[in-house]
Amino acid sequence: MSRPQDLDQASVVLYERCGVPVVGVRGEFDLHSITPLSQALGTAAREHTKVVLEASGTTFADSALLNLLILTQRSVDLRVAAPARQLRRLLEITGVDAVLKVRSTVEEAATC
């Protein structure tokens, strides 16, 4: 059985929770799909002091996403909320979870 090609296509949505911008992501994020997320995080970081990345829909992430998260953390208080299992494991293996503020929910990340 074949799977639709766009099932894991990267998508980015912006919304607000508790006065904090939230960048919600779905799909795969690598060198070829990271640009929209990079732009969204950059815009939010220029306009706010705290940004939440809601990452529960991330189906794949590699070093491109890790690099973006680390660079973003340097310019804004970045919170990663509800990372999907694969992303959470990647953060743990690389030690990036010690650098980023990883929270269980968007609400927790926005109000911490």
Side-chain angles (χ1 to χ4, degrees):
M1 183 159 100
S2 66
R3 160 178 120 170
Q5 287 185 339
D6 65 344
L7 183 64
D8 290 323
Q9 183 176 11
S11 67
V12 177
V13 297
L14 301 170
Y15 61 97
E16 191 174 295
R17 185 65 49 101
C18 303
V20 176
V22 178
V23 179
V25 294
R26 302 282 179 267
E28 297 182 353
F29 289 90
D30 59 19
L31 182 62
H32 301 290
S33 61
I34 200 78
T35 301
L37 176 54
S38 178
Q39 292 170 342
L41 286 174
T43 298
R46 283 189 296 279
E47 298 174 3
H48 302 276
T49 58
K50 183 187 326 183
V51 175
V52 173
L53 174 69
E54 190 277 306
S56 64
T58 305
T59 57
F60 175 81
D62 69 5
S63 61
L65 179 62
L66 289 179
N67 186 51
L68 175 61
L69 297 179
I70 292 166
L71 291 174
T72 302
Q73 177 63 34
R74 290 180 178 175
S75 64
V76 71
D77 183 4
L78 178 65
R79 315 291 178 93
V80 178
R85 192 166 124 194
Q86 187 270 338
L87 178 56
R88 181 176 293 278
R89 183 74 177 130
L90 182 63
L91 295 172
E92 291 170 356
I93 289 171
T94 60
V96 174
D97 63 332
V99 175
L100 299 176
K101 295 174 183 168
V102 180
R103 304 292 187 252
S104 299
T105 67
V106 171
E107 289 76 16
E108 182 184 352
T111 59
C112 295

